[in-house]
Amino acid sequence: MKIGTVEVPSQLVLAPMAGVTDLAFRLICRELGAGLTVTEMVSAKGLVMGDRKSRELMTLGSDRPAAIQLFGTEPQVMAQAAKLCLEFEPQAIDINMGCPAPKVANNGAGSALMKDPQLAGEIIYAVAEAVDLPVTVKLRKGWDKAHPNVVELAQIAEQNGAAAVAVHGRTREEMYSGHADWDCIRRVKAAVHIPVIGNGDVTDVQSAALLLEQTGCDAIMIGRGAMGNPWLFRQINAYLTDTRVLPEPGIHERMAVMLRHIDRTIQYKGERTAMMEARHHAAYYTKGLRGGAGFRRRICQMSHFEELAKLAAEIAKENAE
C-alpha cells in the first residue's frame, strides 16, 4: 500500500491509542508485522506552546514508517504544529477526528469535528498546505446514530488534500460498545479515490480477512486487539500473504515479549514510570493465563524490573505446556 509517496510494507496499521501506543509498544508491534504505526495523539496547541510532554510523544526512533497524530480545533494552530512535527521526521501527519474521549470531544476536537464538516475541511486543508508530507485523517462513523456522516467527511478530507482516511465503524455516541459497522467503511471506500483504512473489531485472523472482504478497504487498523497480543500482526500477515495459519505464541514467548516491552519503556521513561505502566500492559499479556488474577495483583505491588522478570518466570512455569 502507498499513502501518498510513502510505501507501507504491509496492510496492517497500529491504531493510535492514548496511554498505550508509546514508542516501546510501537516498536514491539513493528517487529511483529505492523506496516505503519501512529503515535499517541499530540495536542497541537500544547506543541505550539512548547509543552515538553507533547514533544516526548513524537519521538520515533527506528519506528518507521510512522505518522504523528495531532488533535486540535484551529486550522492555523494545527498547521503550525504540523510544521513543528517535521523535526522528528515522520512519514505522515495524522489528524484526529475520531477520539471520543470527553476531555477531547467536549472541547470541539477529535470526533466533535464530525459535527462541523466545514471546520474539519479547513483544518485538513491547512495541514496539507503546511507540510510536504502525506496527511491522513482518522474518522468515526459519525457523531451519533442520527448523523452517520462519515462518507461526507471522507470526501471532504480527499477534496482538501488528505492522502488517506481511517474509518472506525462506530459513532462517538457508541464509544467502544456494541459492534463496529463495517458497511460504513465499504461506503467510504466506494466514495473516495484515496486509500481507506478499516478499523473496528479486528481481533483475529478471521475478522481481519472478513473486514477486507466485506469492505474492500486497502488496509486494516488494529487497536485494542493488539493490546497484550502484538503477535496478531504476525498472524494476520501470514494469512494474508501466504494463507498460513500460525499458532498462538507459547507462554515463554509471551513473557519474553512482555519483558522486552517493559524494558524498553524503562529505557525511554525511567523505571518508576515504566513499572507503573507495566501494571496496565501486564493485565493484557497475562489475560486468560492460569493464575493470571493473582499474578496481576502482585504486579501492582512491584517497583523494579527484576521483580517483574522473576514473576514472569513463575508465570511461564505455571502455564508451561
Side-chain angles (χ1 to χ4, degrees):
M1 183 181 67
K2 290 186 72 173
I3 296 178
T5 58
V6 177
E7 292 277 358
V8 180
S10 83
Q11 287 181 279
L12 305 182
V13 181
L14 174 64
M17 293 180 284
V20 177
T21 52
D22 60 7
L23 179 56
F25 187 60
R26 296 199 311 272
L27 287 172
I28 292 292
C29 293
R30 170 82 62 196
E31 291 168 2
L32 289 166
L36 175 69
T37 66
V38 188
T39 67
E40 301 172 74
M41 60 181 178
V42 176
S43 166
K45 184 173 289 186
L47 180 56
V48 168
M49 293 177 67
D51 177 59
R52 181 176 60 84
K53 182 171 176 57
S54 296
R55 293 179 61 83
E56 290 175 356
L57 293 173
M58 297 189 295
T59 300
L60 301 179
S62 60
D63 179 28
R64 314 274 175 178
I68 292 176
Q69 187 185 74
L70 296 173
F71 75 95
T73 59
E74 302 168 85
Q76 291 313 309
V77 173
M78 289 285 284
Q80 189 177 352
K83 290 179 180 178
L84 292 174
C85 291
L86 298 180
E87 175 188 344
F88 298 85
E89 301 182 346
Q91 280 65 57
I93 301 295
D94 186 60
I95 301 175
N96 185 322
M97 295 190 179
C99 179
K103 68 178 181 179
V104 174
N106 290 351
N107 288 313
S111 56
L113 285 168
M114 298 197 69
K115 297 191 293 183
D116 193 340
Q118 180 174 339
L119 177 57
E122 291 171 0
I123 288 173
I124 296 164
Y125 181 82
V127 173
E129 286 290 300
V131 295
D132 189 23
L133 290 176
V135 173
T136 61
V137 185
K138 180 73 158 55
L139 301 168
R140 277 191 169 238
K141 180 180 177 179
W143 176 256
D144 56 26
K145 185 178 180 179
H147 302 90
N149 63 339
V150 67
V151 172
E152 176 192 1
L153 264 293
Q155 291 173 325
I156 288 171
E158 181 177 30
Q159 292 161 8
N160 284 279
V165 291
V167 179
H168 183 102
R170 289 181 175 86
T171 64
R172 191 272 177 176
E173 182 180 54
E174 292 174 295
M175 299 292 282
Y176 298 101
S177 65
H179 298 286
D181 174 16
W182 290 351
D183 190 61
C184 75
I185 301 170
R186 180 192 62 77
R187 288 186 285 109
V188 168
K189 177 59 184 172
V192 299
H193 301 92
I194 55 178
V196 175
I197 304 166
N199 178 222
D201 293 353
V202 174
T203 57
D204 53 25
V205 169
Q206 182 181 30
S207 54
L210 285 173
L211 175 62
L212 289 174
E213 179 183 341
Q214 293 180 16
T215 69
C217 64
D218 301 279
I220 301 166
M221 178 172 278
I222 301 171
R224 292 173 296 158
M227 294 173 66
N229 186 27
W231 301 273
L232 183 58
F233 292 102
R234 182 173 70 189
Q235 292 169 324
I236 295 173
N237 275 330
Y239 184 80
L240 295 182
T241 57
D242 300 318
T243 324
R244 288 184 296 136
V245 178
L246 298 182
E248 292 296 318
I251 186 60
H252 293 288
E253 184 180 8
R254 292 185 71 88
M255 293 300 97
V257 170
M258 180 184 76
L259 291 175
R260 189 160 77 247
H261 180 175
I262 304 307
D263 187 44
R264 279 187 176 156
T265 307
I266 290 172
Q267 294 175 34
Y268 303 132
K269 301 181 180 181
E271 189 170 43
R272 177 182 170 84
T273 298
M275 290 305 296
M276 290 289 290
E277 294 183 2
R279 301 171 184 179
H280 176 68
H281 291 295
Y284 286 94
Y285 279 111
T286 58
K287 185 177 180 181
L289 296 182
R290 190 181 303 117
F295 290 130
R296 287 190 288 275
R297 284 193 294 270
R298 290 171 61 186
I299 289 169
C300 289
Q301 308 301 318
M302 294 179 178
S303 55
H304 299 290
F305 181 75
E306 290 77 9
E307 297 173 281
L308 181 61
K310 290 179 181 178
L311 182 61
E314 286 186 44
I315 295 172
K317 184 177 180 180
E318 177 72 18
N319 288 268
E321 298 173 353

